[in-house]
């Protein structure tokens, strides 16, 4: 069988041995606030730096 081939016979059904009470509840860590980030550079400075990076990769 080649790389990346899929054979359903190789797949097994996994019997999960844990209770739902033990699982992490995704809603218990939700965040409803806001976040702000100040990088100290202007948009023009950031665009100039991006152009420099793109020019370096050419």
């Amino acid at each position: 069988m080649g790389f990346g081939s899929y054979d359903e016979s190789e797949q097994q059904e996994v019997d999960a041995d844990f209770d739902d009470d033990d699982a992490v509840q995704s809603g218990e860590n939700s965040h409803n606030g806001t976040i702000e980030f100040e990088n100290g550079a202007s948009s023009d400075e950031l665009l100039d730096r991006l152009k420099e990076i793109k020019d370096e990769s050419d």
Side-chain angles (χ1 to χ4, degrees):
M1 198 177 299
F3 178 74
S5 297
Y6 178 77
D7 184 0
E8 287 185 26
S9 66
E10 294 177 1
Q11 304 301 312
Q12 316 175 25
E13 207 168 301
V14 177
D15 184 21
D17 190 19
F18 62 87
D19 296 327
D20 285 339
D21 296 335
D22 295 333
V24 174
Q25 302 299 318
S26 61
E28 71 185 32
N29 294 320
S30 63
H31 176 72
N32 295 323
T34 60
I35 185 168
E36 292 181 26
F37 179 76
E38 182 65 42
N39 63 12
S42 70
S43 296
D44 289 336
E45 291 172 324
L46 294 173
L47 289 171
D48 288 343
R49 181 61 185 132
L50 177 61
K51 185 178 182 313
E52 290 173 15
I53 292 170
K54 286 184 175 182
D55 289 343
E56 289 172 3
S57 66
D58 290 341

